[in-house]
Every structure is written in C-alpha cells, then in structure tokens.
Amino acid sequence: MSTGILVTGLGVVAPHGHDAASVFEAVARGESAVRELPMDLARPVAAATVDIDLTRWFNKLQSAGVDRVSQLAVAAADLAVQDAGGIGHAAPERIGIYVGCGMGGAAALDTAYRSTSGRVSPLTIPAFMPNAPAAHVAMRLGVRGPVLTYAVACASSSVAIAEAAKAVRCGEVDLAIAGGTESLIVPGVVLTWQAMQTLATFTAGGDAAMRCCRPFASDRSGFVLGEGAAFLVLESAGRAAARQAPKRHAELAGWGLSCDATHLTKPDAQGQQRALRAALQLSGLQPADIGYVNAHGTATKAGDAVECEAIRAVWGEALPGLRVSSTKALHGHLLGAAGALEAVITIQSLVRQQLPPQAHCDTQDPLCDVPLARAGEPLARPLEAALSSSFAFGGTNSSLVFKRA
C-alpha cells in the first residue's frame, strides 16, 4: 500500500542550524543547543534558541508588526520551497499552506503586557494571532489556495502535515507547504511553564543546562523550551515525476490521529496506541517494518512512561528490532513546531541511514523499557521506514510514518 505522497522539500530554522543536513548532523553527534538564558526570573531558565539573520527575509520596515514566530515561519517555508526547486510549476490556487502553531506571537503579547508607557502597538493583534504565520507565508509566496492554521498544542505541526497530506491525496491541492513554527521564550510564557512544574530543573551556572533535559532517564525532571520553524513540501509521486522534482526525500506513507478524551494534561497510553496503529494501518506496514521511532519524549515523569507503555503494546514481539530516541534532549521542545522539526530529523535518518542517539540518558528508567538508540550503535538492518509521534495537551495524538523514497 502506498499513499503516493512524497516529501520533495525540507526547510528548517532550528536551534542547531538552518538546513536539514546540518541540523541532523549536529543531533547525530549529540550536540546540545540548550543553554541557560540571562532571564531575570527567580528560577534559572534553560532553552534552545535560534540564531539567524532574518534580514534576508525582512527589512526593518517589513518586520514592524511581524512577530518573530511569523518571521521564522516565512524563513523556513521559503527554504523548503527552494529545496523543492520552487513552486512556479503549480497554479497559486492549487497550492495549500498548512501551519501548526501552539501559542502564536508570544513576543507581541509580552511586549504589550509589559508596556510602562500605557501605549500598546495597534499591530499587536495581527502580530500575535495564531494564524499570522500562515498568512505571512501565503503573502510571501503568493499562495491563493487553502491557508490553514492548526493550534493543537504540542501536536500542532504534526497534525498540519497529516491534514496537508490528506488534501494532496484527495486532490484538493496539487502542492502543500506544511509544517509549524513557535517562538515563545519570553518571561511571561516561561513563568507559566515554571508554574506547571514541567520544566527541567538544573543548577545555575556552568554547563548544567545543556544536559538538563533527559528523556527516559531515571533522573529526568522535565523538558526545556525551544523555538524554531520547519516545513515540508508535499506532492503526489506522479506530479513529482512529471516535473522532474530535484529531490525526493521520503514518502509520507501514513498518518494517524486520535484523542484520549480522558484528561486535559495527563497522557493516555490507549489513546496513543490508537494513533500509532492508525498510522501503521494506512501505511500498510507492520510494527516490525519500522526501524526507528522519534518519540514525543518530553522528559516528564508521567509522559515518558506512558509513551513507552504505548510503544511496547503496539510493537509487542517486534520491539527488540526497534530503536527509539527523543531528540528534544538536544533541541528543546518546540511545542507547536515540534512535530515538524522532528519529522525533518526522522526523514533525514532514512536518507542518511543513521539513527539520532538518545542523549543524556545515563540510567534508563525501568518504566521506560524500550530499546533506545545509542551513540555508535550500527544499524542492524537497512532503515526502510521510521515514525515520528507528537502527543499534546488536550489529548490529541498524532503519528507520521515515513518510508525511503
């Protein structure tokens, strides 16, 4: 079985770099992009931020009233389109944009709330609205088809990619630009996450922040925030062949969506299993066919254990042939953009036939008893298919299956 949906373009603006190859290479080496931030808060803050000159896409006049979350989206979408060889071969009305964004323009809101002059920019509303990134991408690229935003917490961009693939598959669009963006590392937002007690703890000073996110480890204490954007260009195999697309990174072979419908913030293993099984069923693959899972793995006590329970249940006797890692340990949790960045890394693992190793897990929690990818471990067999999962507050679960093209 084949969906016939190919990934012909990749674009990333991430803490590790600005192209898919360099991002994957850094992650494969186990390099952490997490740093302690000089933020004037009661508790120390660790996060993974993006270092990029955005004047390539926005001059000073253009950037006025455009939040960083939208600027990152425009940059990553443009890079994806360039990687795909452009989009001039498709009618603008037949191109769709599908963007995941969990919280919108956090910097614009934070600036408005902290205004001491009593004056708030009239551009605050269009800057922070969650659909602003998609709108800016559409305006920059001249896209006139469906331009949609998915705000599904940590599953936002994974859901956006799945919905884009459905639109291509059913013929609603000829080409889809799908992914996500997030930039919310501002004091007000960080304080809210600290209040939830979900962020990793560490001792201020030195390099402790770099290793503070430890998915699946017995001493894990939570996640670290990250920012960035990542986009995929999706099109049918027939169209890619007809236009002689310069790259065929992978096939998006399946996707599965489900809802726990049990609790707003507590994950549910059965709900996650439903998404995993649905993605496998659509792809026509069996669990044994999947060699690698880029796990949601946020390094929270409950989240990691529940996800591993779901993986064990789905893979069953095929579990020993699987390898799992959560790359959030190195690039942070991009929330609304997490699924898209992790999809790019998963695709690169297929292209390069290399597994991103699990970082910072010196002692694995017995409740997280799944086979982790380890540094230096050779592939036991060619990597033909891999899966990336995103599980969100609100109970939405999304899994994407990719195959070698």
Side-chain angles (χ1 to χ4, degrees), residues 26-258:
V27 169
R29 290 192 298 267
E31 294 181 6
S32 177
V34 179
R35 300 289 186 272
E36 183 177 352
L37 300 185
M39 212 172 262
D40 187 20
L41 298 178
R43 283 177 282 175
V45 178
T49 59
V50 170
D51 181 14
I52 186 173
D53 182 6
L54 290 167
T55 59
R56 174 178 169 184
W57 291 275
F58 292 88
N59 60 36
K60 186 175 181 179
L61 180 61
Q62 291 172 324
S63 63
V66 183
D67 192 275
R68 182 173 172 83
V69 71
S70 294
Q71 295 184 30
L72 295 177
V74 167
D78 182 54
L79 292 171
V81 166
Q82 290 181 40
D83 187 55
I87 57 175
H89 54 86
E93 295 79 9
R94 298 286 302 166
I95 302 173
I97 294 174
Y98 304 80
V99 179
C101 185
M103 299 188 72
L109 273 184
D110 199 64
T111 299
Y113 289 151
R114 292 174 181 274
S115 173
T116 57
S117 66
R119 298 181 62 185
V120 175
S121 170
L123 298 176
T124 298
I125 295 294
F128 91 78
M129 62 187 191
N131 67 315
H136 280 288
V137 171
M139 290 187 290
R140 184 59 62 101
L141 298 176
V143 170
R144 298 186 178 89
V147 176
L148 304 175
T149 298
Y150 300 85
V152 200
C154 309
S156 298
S157 54
S158 181
V159 170
I161 291 169
E163 293 297 304
K166 292 177 188 177
V168 173
R169 193 183 191 202
C170 76
E172 182 179 344
V173 297
D174 294 331
L175 194 77
I177 302 164
T181 185
E182 202 80 271
S183 181
L184 42 71
I185 305 173
V186 295
V189 175
V190 171
L191 279 170
T192 62
W193 284 106
Q194 288 182 337
M196 286 197 72
Q197 299 184 1
T198 54
L199 296 185
T201 57
F202 66 98
T203 303
D207 60 359
M210 298 175 65
R211 289 180 50 87
C212 70
C213 182
R214 298 182 290 273
F216 311 120
S218 58
D219 63 347
R220 66 190 183 277
S221 62
F223 64 88
V224 296
L225 292 169
E227 70 169 355
F231 281 84
L232 284 60
V233 175
L234 305 177
E235 58 189 301
S236 69
R239 184 175 184 84
R243 75 174 183 92
Q244 297 182 324
K247 296 179 182 177
R248 296 168 176 80
H249 294 286
E251 177 188 349
L252 177 48
W255 49 87
L257 305 176
S258 71

Side-chain angles (χ1 to χ4, degrees), residues 286-306:
Q286 298 299 315
D289 298 321
I290 306 295
Y292 170 64
V293 168
N294 192 319
H296 185 59
T298 57
T300 60
K301 286 292 184 183
D304 286 9
V306 168

